[in-house]
Amino acid sequence: GGGVAQHARPGTPLAITEAAICYDWDPKLYTPETLKLGPRTFYAALWDADRMGAALEADLWTFAFWDLAEPVQMADTNTFGFLLTDASKNPPTCQLTPEYYAQWMVNTNFSGTTVVPSGVPARMSVYASYDAKKAATAILVLNKDTSPRPLTLAVDDLKPRTITFAPMSINIVTILDEAAAEHCVLEYTRKMAEAGLPSK
C-alpha cells in the first residue's frame, strides 16, 4: 500500500477485481496433484482466508473473487465456483465448497476498523478488526501447521486468552469488550472440509 501511494495517482483506492485460486477453469490443464490443492479444496479456502486478511491490512477498496457460482452439471469440466447450483431441481439446490465457508466466515464476522496484530508465530497468520458498534474484536487465526498450535491472544487490557487451534484450520475468535465475557471460536478444519461439514 505505501509504495503504491507514492506513485501514479496518490490517494486512488486500490482494488483487486478478479481473484482466483488457480490460473484456468479447465481441470484437464492440471495434474492430479495440483487439483488436490486447487479450487474447492480446504487448501484453497485457507489461501482465500489468508488473502482476505492481507487485503484488509492493505486497506484495499475491494477484493473480489471469481467466480461465485457454477452449475453442478459442470463440476467436472470447470474448476471455478464457490457454489455449485442445480437449477433443474425444484426448488433449486446449491452445494457449498470449502472456499465458500472460508469467505462466509470472514465476510460475516469482520467489520469496523482493521487492527494489525503483532507477534504472529511462524506457520500461522492472524488478522483482526475492531467494531465499536458490536463492542467486539474479531480475530482470524489460520493454523497452517499439521500440528495443533497454542496461541495467546491479548486484546488491549482484557485478560489474555490462550487457545489451541486445530491443525490446518481457519478460525474466527470473537472477544467482547466486556471483561467478564467468554470468547467465541468459529472453526473450520481440513478434516471438516474433507468430510463435507460446514464451519462450526
Side-chain angles (χ1 to χ4, degrees), residues 97-168:
T97 69
E99 288 178 278
Y100 171 89
Y101 288 116
Q103 291 181 37
W104 173 85
M105 289 172 72
V106 175
N107 288 340
T108 57
N109 288 284
F110 268 60
S111 57
T113 305
T114 301
V115 178
V116 180
S118 61
V120 178
R123 296 185 298 282
M124 297 187 91
S125 290
V126 181
Y127 305 97
S129 71
Y130 176 73
D131 191 327
K133 290 180 183 175
K134 295 178 182 175
T137 301
I139 305 169
L140 171 63
V141 179
L142 307 176
N143 182 4
K144 298 179 270 190
D145 201 345
T146 54
S147 300
R149 299 284 303 268
L151 183 65
T152 300
L153 301 175
V155 176
D156 295 335
D157 57 354
L158 297 173
K159 68 173 183 178
R161 293 159 167 87
T162 300
I163 303 168
T164 298
F165 296 96
M168 298 302 292

Side-chain angles (χ1 to χ4, degrees), residues 28-83:
K28 293 189 295 296
L29 299 177
Y30 299 89
T31 67
E33 286 302 308
T34 56
L35 278 177
K36 290 179 184 176
L37 306 173
R40 302 183 193 142
T41 67
F42 177 80
Y43 301 101
L46 188 65
W47 192 34
D48 284 352
D50 216 353
R51 293 184 298 157
M52 290 175 78
L56 287 168
E57 285 190 356
D59 197 26
L60 291 186
W61 179 70
T62 191
F63 182 58
F65 287 91
W66 181 264
D67 61 25
L68 298 182
E70 288 290 342
V72 72
Q73 292 82 358
M74 294 177 61
D76 294 333
T77 58
N78 184 336
T79 61
F80 290 151
F82 305 136
L83 298 166

Side-chain angles (χ1 to χ4, degrees), residues 6 34 37-38 61 82 87-88 103 107 130 141 166 171 173 177 185 187-188 194-197:
Q6 304 305 317
T34 56
L37 306 173
W61 179 70
F82 305 136
S88 69
Q103 291 181 37
N107 288 340
Y130 176 73
V141 179
N171 308 272
V173 181
D177 288 352
V185 180
E187 177 187 65
Y188 191 54
E194 291 172 353
L197 300 173

